[in-house]
């Protein structure tokens, strides 16, 4: 028999509330407590599915402090789930440090498969998805130039997270570093009412998004170097 899991990493919807698995809902109902990036956001989500469970705050700014206490509780026999505001925890969200600490202590960790924004964006892009690298958010200032320079010769498809107010600036920088004819795709508001997937060269995308203020959540997919 498998050793019972002590920490479940549970992906939650990135927009459409139907995008949660039966198993995720069962686990959230069964655990002793849920660690949440933002307890108010997760409370709304749990209410939607009729789940009543104790929520404990676990975010970027307190994870260093809370990990030791969580690990002790799990070692004493508790079972918990980690959720983030949207998508899969530990993917551009808190989670990695807790997973590492649990593994180091010999605790059993299990990540459920489920929603994450970069997979639908990659597949929707029509750009090769057999080999890709996930870059998440680029550094805003320090290290940005170094990262972009390193990526200019990358042959695998590149996937980035970006905020709407930086989109045009970032696309313009991509055009400078990768060339304006490089193919790319911008996925906005995935799974939501106003989902949009715009595909074209970087030059075309800059022209498209320069015409109106951009809102919502964004994934940028860029073809690798030919
Ligand atoms: N853990 C999440 C995941 O698994 O995708 C990512 C969390 S990260 C803090 C938030 C970023 O993910 C957003 O700024 C955006 O780049 C991307 N994102 C999340 N939801 C999205 C959506 N519905 N459509 C497009 N991008 C989304």
């Amino acid at each position: 028999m498998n050793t019972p899991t002590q920490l479940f990493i549970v992906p939650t919807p990135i927009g459409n509330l139907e995008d949660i698995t039966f198993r995720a809902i069962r686990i959230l109902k069964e655990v002793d407590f849920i660690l949440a990036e933002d307890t108010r956001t997760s409370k709304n989500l749990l209410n939607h599915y009729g789940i009543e469970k104790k929520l404990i705050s676990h975010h970027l700014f307190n994870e260093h402090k809370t990990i030791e206490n969580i690990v002790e509780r799990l070692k004493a026999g508790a079972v918990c789930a980690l959720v983030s505001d949207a998508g899969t925890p530990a993917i551009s969200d808190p989670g990695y440090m807790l997973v590492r600490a649990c593994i180091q202590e010999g605790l059993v960790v299990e990540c459920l498969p489920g929603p994450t924004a970069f997979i639908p964006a990659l597949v929707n892009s029509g750009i090769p998805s057999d080999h890709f690298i996930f870059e998440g958010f680029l550094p805003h200032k320090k290290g940005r130039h170094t990262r972009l320079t390193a990526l200019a010769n990358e042959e695998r498809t590149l996937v980035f997270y970006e905020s709407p107010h930086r989109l045009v600036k970032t696309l313009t920088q991509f055009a400078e570093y990768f060339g304006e004819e490089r193919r790319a795709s911008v996925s906005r508001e995935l799974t939501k009412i106003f989902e949009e997937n715009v595909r074209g060269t970087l030059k075309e995308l800059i022209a498209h998004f320069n015409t109106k203020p951009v809102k919502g959540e964004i994934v940028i997919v860029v073809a690798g170097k030919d």
Side-chain angles (χ1 to χ4, degrees):
M1 207 175 88
N2 289 340
T3 317
T5 301
Q6 287 146 302
L7 170 65
F8 286 98
I9 309 300
V10 180
T12 55
I14 57 165
N16 189 325
L17 292 177
E18 291 179 2
D19 293 334
I20 190 158
T21 66
F22 294 123
R23 187 165 163 235
I25 290 177
R26 178 176 60 76
I27 300 284
L28 292 175
K29 282 182 178 164
E30 286 177 2
V31 291
D32 296 310
F33 60 94
I34 299 172
L35 300 166
E37 191 186 3
D38 180 335
T39 50
R40 270 181 307 180
T41 306
S42 297
K43 181 92 191 127
N44 289 339
L45 188 82
L46 296 188
N47 285 344
H48 181 84
Y49 302 117
I51 301 170
E52 277 182 39
K53 191 64 61 174
K54 184 174 165 52
L55 284 166
I56 298 177
S57 164
H58 180 78
H59 49 70
L60 206 59
F61 307 105
N62 75 356
E63 61 178 340
H64 284 280
K65 287 190 203 142
T66 52
I67 283 175
E68 206 180 292
N69 180 263
I70 297 163
V71 167
E72 285 313 311
R73 290 176 72 172
L74 300 185
K75 280 166 82 176
V79 177
C80 85
L82 172 68
V83 298
S84 59
D85 288 353
T88 301
I91 300 298
S92 295
D93 265 337
Y96 153 70
M97 290 208 314
L98 178 62
V99 170
R100 185 182 60 176
C102 287
I103 293 169
Q104 279 168 353
E105 291 297 327
L107 294 164
V108 182
V109 179
E110 188 176 346
C111 178
L112 272 57
T116 189
F118 74 90
I119 296 289
L122 173 66
V123 176
N124 284 340
S125 73
I127 292 170
S129 52
D130 49 352
H131 299 285
F132 65 90
I133 56 171
F134 173 69
E135 280 290 316
F137 292 100
L138 279 172
H140 288 175
K141 291 197 174 89
K142 198 166 167 277
R144 192 173 173 97
H145 165 74
T146 314
R147 203 70 220 116
L148 287 169
T149 308
L151 293 173
N153 289 319
E154 175 57 58
E155 293 179 357
R156 291 168 291 182
T157 298
L158 308 164
V159 185
F160 303 90
Y161 283 170
E162 192 48 286
S163 66
H165 68 278
R166 289 177 180 272
L167 175 66
V168 172
K169 182 186 159 208
T170 296
L171 290 174
T172 307
Q173 279 186 328
F174 286 171
E176 283 165 23
Y177 283 81
F178 309 152
E180 61 180 16
E181 294 306 323
R182 187 80 74 94
R183 296 207 70 74
S185 169
V186 174
S187 290
R188 213 173 56 78
E189 297 288 81
L190 286 160
T191 79
K192 302 183 196 176
I193 297 171
F194 297 108
E195 171 166 342
E196 183 186 36
N197 292 279
V198 188
R199 307 159 181 100
T201 62
L202 286 168
K203 189 180 173 181
E204 288 165 346
L205 292 176
I206 294 164
H208 176 91
F209 286 106
N210 249 331
T211 57
K212 53 177 181 174
V214 188
K215 289 189 188 147
E217 300 198 277
I218 285 165
V219 184
I220 311 174
V221 179
V222 183
K225 193 180 178 191
D226 263 346

